Amino acid sequence: MKPKLGDVIAKGTFEYNPVLIQCVGLCPVILASTSVQSALAMTAVTFADLLITSILASTVMKKWQRYIRVVFYLIIGMLIIFPILWFIENKTIMNMTLGMRIFLPLIAVNSVTAVHCEQFAVKNGLRPAVFDAIAAGLGTGIVMILCGALREIGGKGTFLGYPLGVSFKLSGMLMPYGCLVILGFAAAVLNKIYTRKPRRAKKEPVSSGPEEVSLDIDSGKDPEQIDMDFTFDDDEEYEYLLSSVNELIESFSMDSEREDEQ
Amino acid sequence: MEQKQSAPAVKSTAVFGDYLIMLIVPAVISIWYYGTAAVHTLIICAASSILLDFVFSVLFNKQYYAADLSGLCTGLMIAMMMPAAVPAYVCVLACAFAILVIKIPFGGGMRAPFVPAAAGFASAAVCFKDLVFTYSGGREFMGSASLGSILQAGGSVRITSASFLDIFTGNIYGPMGTGCAAVFLGCICFLLIRRRDALISSAAFLGAVIVFSLVLPRTGGTALSSLLLELSSGSLLFAAVFFLTDYSTLPGHTLNRIVYGLFTGIICMVMRRRGIYEEPVCFAVILGNAFSPLLDNVTDRLQVIFTSGKSKKEAYDR
């Protein structure tokens, strides 16, 4: 079955976000997200690098040895990232100073590219690999731009270079720890959204007093013949009950083991 | 079941209750020296800490214990390290960092990986360096410079009996509640009675500072005057009493507590000589906190390597 573009992008961008969930490519995000402009430039570079490397990995490099492939990811990364960043910094009218000179080798050794090519592109065809590259590029880009916007507003008091008239600036936001704090909170929010806990069974209406339970011992019925056919509203409820029973069994078995040890 | 739920609150109340008792005297002395400015700073820090703690605990769906004094203690500790005339927003932002970034996400004051007050003050020092290290009030030694800035500039202070008394009682330019060495000696005595096990790291920390000051003095005077100035300047004694004894960041083993104290003391003194901030003790404490779990981990592994049988199992369980 061919993967749908929408599903792949939704999963790759948010549910398995490369930066927030897989925790790869943190160095470029921290370095490049000091302003929205530099975040946009870095997003474009990462996107181009991911797309080209994924296409090559899914078509040409499939039969190569793994250690050769990884070296080639880095070489391709350098060949793409260095010229594009140099071009953005020096030859465009944006006249941007990205300030990444000494960190360029760290940015070029992009773990997002290596992870996505090695885990997905090599094992799949061209179409899924391109979809995955787009999703990973989008996921990284959204995080970079979000961090860039928050850090620029907090640290410089501007947005896209325009002053916002903020009376004080938190220069700590422009430091790496400022970005890590933002990434931590963003990862927590994403985890909260995508961690679905099993829904608990619906509560019974609270009665005014203790419920009366009658046990008819003399009914003459065999206990094993009592009807045990439970009905559940949905699968989640059933799974929740099953997991609770399993936990109970495990706790009993652990208790008995402890007693045996004693 | 009810007892189990309230256990962390009880422990937290007992620990932070002791800190609160110790914080009362420096708070009173700061009000004595700086007047209404100190009262404003204390109220703003305490109120913002408690309010942020309550509001965000509710927002993040965490249990908020009314008797948990960690929020109040964090606010007061931050206030003590600030200059009396610091703007209110600096205090609020420092408290917000301590509570929202360090305390609440990691499960409260007894589980925070870093000392929240140290982290809050460090973030304020990074963001508002000029405001946090500009002092007012107190007896002048060299213009309106604090002892920390005099030492950082390589200057010397001629210690007479009058100036010694001022230094010892905190009547000098500096943070509003951390200058009075006499109070912190009293606090150490209180901790000797109440929490002796937590004082090991403080003793190691002070030992490292004393040796460093005597061997490599920053001032032109005698080694003893260098030691007195190093101990009295900035928030060093305050950190030894309140940050190095924090249970959530202390290593478990006694030997590790000594190593932790020594490491923090050495880093603090190196930062005082080479760093850009006149009072880097908070940064040294944070760095020490980061290595604290590693120390326990290494000790556990070594214990596993050098022991066998039942003791190996105990080492793993620990």
Side-chain angles (χ1 to χ4, degrees), chain A residues 5 48 66 82 87 115 119 123 135 140 145 147 149 201 203 206 213 220 229 249 256-257 260:
Chain A
L5 178 66
R66 190 177 183 175
F82 281 0
F87 184 78
V115 166
Q119 283 187 350
K123 295 169 188 169
T140 314
I145 293 163
C147 286
K203 283 181 183 175
V206 182
V213 179
D229 186 26
I249 292 165
S256 61
E257 276 175 18
D260 289 343

Side-chain angles (χ1 to χ4, degrees), chain A residues 65-109:
Chain A
Q65 291 289 325
R66 190 177 183 175
Y67 58 89
I68 298 173
R69 282 201 304 262
V70 174
V71 173
F72 267 84
Y73 299 147
L74 304 182
I75 292 169
I76 294 164
M78 284 181 199
L79 288 173
I80 296 165
I81 289 170
F82 281 0
I84 295 179
L85 279 182
W86 178 84
F87 184 78
I88 290 170
E89 250 188 316
N90 299 301
K91 296 287 175 186
T92 55
I93 51 168
M94 290 160 79
N95 193 23
M96 281 166 53
T97 308
L98 297 174
M100 302 174 196
R101 295 168 198 281
I102 200 164
F103 302 109
L104 272 173
L106 277 172
I107 293 168
V109 184

Side-chain angles (χ1 to χ4, degrees), chain A residues 167-173 175 177 181 185 192 261, chain B residues 60 89 93 97 100-101 105 123 126-128 277 313:
Chain A
S167 57
F168 59 87
K169 293 161 192 170
L170 301 168
S171 52
M173 293 279 278
M175 293 184 176
Y177 88 88
V181 168
F185 278 103
K192 181 79 181 166
E261 278 178 11
Chain B
F60 292 155
Y89 66 86
L93 287 169
F97 189 87
L100 302 186
V101 178
S123 84
V126 168
C127 294
F128 311 103
Y277 299 103
K313 191 175 176 297

Side-chain angles (χ1 to χ4, degrees), chain B:
Chain B
M1 192 70 189
E2 204 166 277
Q3 269 186 343
K4 206 174 182 180
Q5 278 181 348
S6 61
V10 171
K11 196 179 175 188
S12 175
T13 309
V15 171
F16 289 104
D18 283 354
Y19 283 136
L20 202 62
I21 291 166
M22 289 194 290
L23 279 165
I24 289 168
V25 185
V28 170
I29 287 175
S30 66
I31 294 167
W32 174 267
Y33 284 138
Y34 300 99
T36 49
V39 176
H40 285 159
T41 309
L42 283 168
I43 289 173
I44 289 164
C45 285
S48 56
S49 289
I50 293 169
L51 207 68
L52 285 165
D53 197 8
F54 173 71
V55 170
F56 283 90
S57 293
V58 172
L59 272 179
F60 292 155
N61 207 14
K62 304 251 179 193
Q63 265 186 317
Y64 178 78
Y65 300 107
D68 180 11
L69 299 167
S70 64
L72 177 62
C73 283
T74 302
L76 290 177
M77 283 180 202
I78 290 171
M80 292 295 151
M81 288 185 290
M82 292 283 182
V86 71
Y89 66 86
V90 177
C91 297
V92 174
L93 287 169
C95 294
F97 189 87
I99 300 292
L100 302 186
V101 178
I102 306 295
K103 191 183 163 236
I104 294 177
F106 294 98
M110 294 301 288
R111 286 177 187 164
F114 302 99
V115 182
F121 181 78
S123 84
V126 168
C127 294
F128 311 103
K129 189 188 166 195
D130 295 336
L131 295 171
V132 167
F133 295 114
T134 305
Y135 304 109
S136 59
R139 185 72 61 87
E140 291 184 6
F141 284 104
M142 277 177 66
S144 60
S146 64
L147 273 183
S149 61
I150 295 169
L151 289 172
Q152 199 182 26
S156 61
V157 177
R158 194 166 165 269
I159 298 175
T160 58
S161 57
S163 63
F164 174 76
L165 198 67
D166 282 331
I167 291 171
F168 195 66
T169 54
N171 189 18
I172 45 174
Y173 273 74
M176 70 179 212
T178 64
C180 187
V183 169
F184 298 115
L185 292 177
C187 289
I188 289 171
C189 294
F190 179 79
L191 282 176
L192 266 174
I193 299 163
R194 294 280 296 171
R195 304 195 181 278
R196 200 173 296 171
D197 56 331
L199 261 185
I200 296 165
S201 55
S202 299
F205 172 78
L206 289 175
V209 170
I210 289 166
V211 171
F212 219 99
S213 314
L214 291 174
V215 175
L216 298 165
R218 277 198 289 175
T219 57
T222 60
L224 209 62
S225 68
S226 157
L227 172 64
L228 178 70
L229 293 173
E230 290 283 7
L231 285 176
S232 307
S233 67
S235 312
L236 201 133
L237 282 175
F238 181 82
V241 171
F242 290 97
F243 297 164
L244 270 289
T245 55
D246 184 68
Y247 279 101
S248 65
T249 55
L250 269 181
H253 301 268
T254 309
L255 185 69
N256 288 345
R257 289 185 181 186
I258 295 169
V259 174
Y260 166 68
L262 287 173
F263 175 78
T264 312
I266 292 166
I267 292 290
C268 176
M269 294 311 279
V270 170
M271 280 183 170
R272 276 189 164 192
R273 275 153 183 78
R274 298 286 172 203
I276 56 167
Y277 299 103
E278 69 172 69
E279 187 44 275
V281 69
C282 288
F283 298 98
V285 168
I286 291 169
L287 210 60
N289 293 163
F291 280 98
S292 173
L294 189 74
L295 288 172
D296 270 345
N297 200 1
V298 169
T299 312
D300 286 347
R301 280 168 191 273
L302 287 174
Q303 207 168 346
V304 170
I305 290 166
F306 292 111
T307 53
S308 58
K310 199 178 177 183
S311 51
K312 188 187 269 185
K313 191 175 176 297
E314 280 171 6
Y316 268 122
D317 288 344
R318 206 135 65 95

